[in-house]
């Protein structure tokens, strides 16, 4: 094997895989390496057998940039474990945005299947409340008073437009979104909470108005592109399966893949510009060489973590790397097909959408007895409708981003799991796992003696609604950084995007 490449990519997470596919399509010689025996890294899709094996081996070193602690794993297992496709990082796809554009422009869309997400609901006052996302749903919702409907409609028109220079927002960009909604549009407390924790997908109270408005605009503009829902869900576990699609696209364009080999060392040789980096792998005698490396932080040797170039995401609208120290996660499997509970105020939801086995529920802080008073919790379901589970079985994902983590994931999320199952008495719990995913912020500090051409992706924010778009933004930034390093004389029009054919 010719072991010299234009770029070596370490880790097959979503950001790394999108970047590898784009670079291979542009004609670069790419080597893509992952020490895991599967694609996807922290965004992988696993069978139930693989998930159990992962859980038994992934209570990892707390000094690692991303590490895990499994708090509870069911001793019993449902039958046919290989028929499950379970995501470690469940997410939905906005119908408008950088990720769906990458899926289409790269040709990865032909490697997978997608369907509309069912209803989006918010839990309050002991009921599942529909989330109005357009003029029709607002006027059909009998729970909203007429005056409030008019104010809400005015806000949605504002948020779907070009609001950055508006008088309503001027001087209030960094005020809390909740305060902005009440002061600028006169919306009530309950309506403001619905907007904050569903349309704007805020994890905590107090997020800035400008950041939240960008996310609301994405949601509003996504509605109607493919159907009534603003979001799509991928088959066979979602983002992990799509990650494999990007890896396949890279391989079709000449990318070389090596999985299941431990990264022993990365050697830097400043005197060899074209072979600046040597990557030594377990059971492979000759190191791989390249002038440039893209990597997840997890794959970077500890001795080099303070010297890498962190890929900047400062220009990403609507996304911030909030000080989230971890995320509590639960994956549960139940007997029975989960359909959305009756949505208060939503009598006119089309029956086809109402019967989807993939839907989203947001629990704002303080909405459930025994639940969190500071963090929102998001529930996403999957089943046979997306080929994620056998017929008659359903998967429930729960996630709670955290500023601090004094309790176990089971203590934090079990009230939400029981609350959902109590509302669907026909479903019986047959499997559950609760685990914590932690993020280190050591690499947010200023770096010293930075190694040029060694680029590292920031970790993805644990957000079901935003993760995939953040991955696409980070991948594009990594693409341009790599192109400038490997082929600085090549001229590109960035306005045409980063999915470039090699003959250009």
């Amino acid at each position: 094997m010719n072991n010299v490449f234009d770029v070596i990519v370490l880790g097959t997470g979503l950001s790394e895989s999108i970047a590898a596919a784009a670079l291979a399509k542009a004609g670069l010689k790419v080597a893509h390496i992952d020490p895991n025996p599967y694609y996807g890294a922290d965004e992988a899709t696993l069978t139930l057998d693989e998930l159990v094996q992962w859980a038994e081996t992934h209570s990892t070193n707390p000094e690692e940039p991303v590490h895990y602690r499994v708090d509870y794993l069911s001793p019993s297992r449902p039958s046919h474990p290989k028929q499950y496709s379970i995501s470690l990082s469940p997410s939905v796809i906005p119908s408008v945005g950088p990720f769906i554009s990458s899926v289409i422009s790269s040709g990865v869309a032909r490697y997978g299947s997608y369907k509309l997400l069912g209803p989006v609901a918010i839990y309050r006052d002991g009921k599942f409340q529909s989330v109005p996302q357009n003029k029709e749903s607002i006027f059909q919702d009998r729970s909203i008073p007429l005056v409030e409907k008019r104010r809400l409609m005015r806000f949605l028109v504002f948020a779907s437009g070009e609001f950055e220079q508006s008088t309503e927002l001027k001087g209030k960009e960094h005020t809390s979104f909740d305060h902005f909604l009440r002061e600028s549009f006169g919306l009530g407390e309950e309506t403001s909470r619905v907007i904050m924790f569903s349309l704007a997908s805020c994890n905590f109270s107090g997020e800035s108005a400008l950041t939240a408005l960008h996310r609301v605009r994405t949601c509003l503009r996504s509605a109607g592109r493919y159907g009534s829902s603003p979001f799509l869900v991928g088959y066979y576990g979602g983002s992990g399966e799509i990650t494999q699609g990007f890896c396949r696209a890279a391989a079709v364009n000449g990318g070389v893949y090596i999985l299941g080999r431990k990264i022993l060392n990365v050697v830097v040789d400043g005197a060899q510009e074209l072979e600046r980096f040597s990557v030594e792998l377990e059971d492979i005698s000759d190191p791989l060489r390249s002038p440039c490396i893209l990597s997840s932080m997890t794959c970077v040797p500890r001795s080099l973590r303070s010297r890498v170039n962190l890929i900047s995401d400062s220009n990403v609208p609507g996304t911030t790397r909030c000080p989230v120290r971890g995320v509590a996660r639960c994956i549960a499997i139940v007997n029975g097909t989960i359909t959305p509970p009756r949505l208060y105020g939503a009598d006119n939801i089309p029956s086809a959408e109402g019967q989807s086995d993939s839907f989203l529920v947001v629990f704002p802080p303080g909405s459930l007895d025994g639940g969190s008073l500071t963090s929102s919790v998001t529930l996403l379901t999957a089943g046979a409708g997306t080929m994620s589970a056998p017929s008659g079985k359903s998967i429930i994902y729960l996630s709670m981003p955290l500023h601090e983590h004094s309790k176990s994931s089971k203590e934090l999320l079990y009230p939400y799991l029981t609350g959902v199952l109590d509302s669907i008495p026909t479903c019986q719990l047959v499997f559950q796992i609760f685990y914590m995913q932690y993020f280190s912020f050591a690499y947010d500090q200023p770096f010293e003696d930075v190694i040029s051409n060694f680029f590292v992706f920031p970790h993805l924010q644990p957000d079901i609604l935003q993760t995939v778009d953040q991955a696409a933004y980070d991948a594009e930034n990594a693409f341009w950084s790599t192109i400038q390093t490997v082929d600085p004389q090549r001229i590109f029009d960035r306005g045409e995007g980063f999915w470039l054919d090699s003959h250009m």
Side-chain angles (χ1 to χ4, degrees):
M1 178 178 72
N2 186 344
N3 64 343
V4 179
F5 297 86
D6 293 320
V7 59
I8 297 173
V9 183
L10 305 180
T12 57
L14 188 55
S15 302
E16 295 86 15
S17 298
I18 297 172
L23 291 164
K25 184 176 174 65
L28 274 66
K29 187 178 178 182
V30 178
H32 201 172
I33 301 164
D34 198 312
N36 296 303
Y38 51 81
Y39 294 93
D42 294 318
E43 293 83 53
T45 292
L46 306 175
T47 66
L48 182 57
D49 281 342
E50 290 171 334
L51 176 65
V52 171
Q53 183 180 11
W54 175 92
E56 292 172 346
T57 60
H58 265 73
S59 288
T60 51
N61 189 332
E63 295 183 2
E64 292 299 313
V66 179
H67 54 282
Y68 296 87
R69 187 191 73 215
V70 177
D71 293 320
Y72 179 80
L73 176 65
S74 288
S76 60
R77 313 279 188 267
S79 58
H80 309 295
K82 295 188 183 302
Q83 295 184 20
Y84 291 89
S85 296
I86 301 172
S87 177
L88 294 179
S89 180
S91 59
V92 298
I93 305 169
S95 296
V96 173
F99 183 75
I100 193 66
S101 296
S102 288
V103 169
I104 294 169
S105 299
S106 64
V108 167
R110 66 178 178 267
Y111 296 137
S113 298
Y114 312 87
K115 69 182 295 184
L116 284 173
L117 178 71
V120 177
I122 190 167
Y123 186 85
R124 61 176 183 173
D125 300 329
K127 298 186 291 288
F128 295 92
Q129 176 74 46
S130 62
V131 175
Q133 296 171 334
N134 52 50
K135 181 169 63 176
E136 290 75 16
S137 62
I138 290 173
F139 284 109
Q140 289 173 2
D141 195 326
R142 296 181 293 109
S143 68
I144 306 176
L146 181 58
V147 173
E148 191 79 347
K149 285 182 178 181
R150 291 173 177 170
R151 293 172 177 169
L152 178 56
M153 192 64 218
R154 176 172 168 258
F155 167 73
L156 294 181
V157 171
F158 165 82
S160 63
E162 304 299 327
F163 48 70
E164 284 83 354
Q165 304 302 322
S166 65
T167 56
E168 291 92 340
L169 186 61
K170 187 176 181 180
K172 303 174 185 176
E173 294 87 348
H174 301 293
T175 61
S176 73
F177 189 43
D178 180 46
H179 180 75
F180 172 77
L181 291 172
R182 297 191 197 189
E183 182 180 88
S184 298
F185 292 91
L187 293 171
E189 179 180 356
E190 288 303 316
T191 303
S192 297
R193 282 172 66 83
V194 170
I195 294 171
M196 285 175 59
F197 294 106
S198 56
L199 294 182
S201 64
C202 295
N203 292 324
F204 311 98
S205 299
E207 286 201 38
S208 72
L210 181 60
T211 298
L213 281 169
H214 279 293
R215 296 199 296 264
V216 173
R217 183 166 63 190
T218 296
C219 182
L220 295 175
R221 291 183 175 181
S222 294
R225 183 177 187 185
Y226 297 114
S228 56
S229 174
F231 304 107
L232 300 170
V233 289
Y235 280 44
Y236 300 104
S239 59
E241 181 70 12
I242 300 170
T243 297
Q244 292 190 53
F246 281 107
C247 293
R248 181 181 299 179
V252 167
N253 286 295
V256 174
Y257 277 80
I258 303 174
L259 269 63
R261 295 290 186 271
K262 184 179 179 181
I263 299 170
L264 300 177
N265 197 15
V266 177
V267 179
V268 184
D269 185 351
Q272 298 291 329
E273 192 62 32
L274 294 180
E275 299 180 15
R276 180 177 179 80
F277 300 102
S278 297
V279 178
E280 300 173 0
L281 302 176
E282 184 179 45
D283 296 332
I284 295 180
S285 57
D286 294 331
L288 309 185
R289 304 180 188 279
S290 174
C292 182
I293 285 182
L294 295 181
S295 180
S296 68
M297 181 58 77
T298 303
C299 292
V300 179
R302 291 186 186 181
S303 61
L304 300 179
R305 287 178 185 170
S306 64
R307 301 179 59 195
V308 295
N309 285 278
L310 189 66
I311 295 167
S312 171
D313 64 339
S314 59
N315 295 320
V316 179
T319 62
T320 55
R321 295 292 193 256
C322 298
V324 175
R325 296 291 171 179
V327 55
R329 296 192 185 275
C330 168
I331 302 170
I333 297 174
V334 298
N335 281 326
T337 300
I338 295 181
T339 55
R342 181 64 178 170
L343 300 184
Y344 179 66
D347 292 340
N348 296 306
I349 291 179
S351 59
E353 182 178 82
Q355 294 302 311
S356 172
D357 63 2
S358 292
F359 62 93
L360 188 73
V361 177
V362 179
F363 295 82
S367 61
L368 186 76
D369 289 341
S372 174
L373 299 177
T374 57
S375 300
S376 65
V377 171
T378 306
L379 175 146
L380 179 66
T381 65
T386 54
M387 305 296 181
S388 298
S391 178
K393 297 290 193 296
S394 298
I395 302 171
I396 298 173
Y397 298 104
L398 289 165
S399 58
M400 177 194 292
L402 303 170
H403 283 298
E404 54 187 31
H405 31 77
S406 57
K407 295 183 178 180
S408 73
S409 54
K410 186 173 183 180
E411 290 176 298
L412 292 168
L413 293 177
Y414 193 72
Y416 298 92
L417 180 60
T418 56
V420 171
L421 294 178
D422 287 346
S423 70
I424 314 173
T426 58
C427 292
Q428 179 186 6
L429 185 65
V430 295
F431 175 84
Q432 53 188 320
I433 176 176
F434 294 87
Y435 62 97
M436 296 290 293
Q437 182 181 15
Y438 297 122
F439 306 105
S440 168
F441 283 80
Y443 60 89
D444 287 343
Q445 305 302 318
F447 295 156
E448 297 180 357
D449 192 20
V450 171
I451 304 169
S452 61
N453 308 345
F454 197 140
F455 303 105
V456 171
F457 290 92
H459 68 73
L460 294 177
Q461 180 152 326
D463 191 300
I464 283 176
L465 301 179
Q466 299 178 61
T467 295
V468 295
D469 276 348
Q470 291 180 8
Y473 273 119
D474 289 346
E476 181 170 6
N477 286 338
F479 173 87
W480 293 118
S481 296
T482 303
I483 288 294
Q484 291 171 358
T485 297
V486 175
D487 196 356
Q489 304 303 317
R490 196 170 173 184
I491 299 175
F492 294 105
D493 180 2
R494 293 200 180 195
E496 296 182 356
F498 69 112
W499 291 101
L500 308 173
D501 290 323
S502 58
H503 65 271
M504 295 181 63

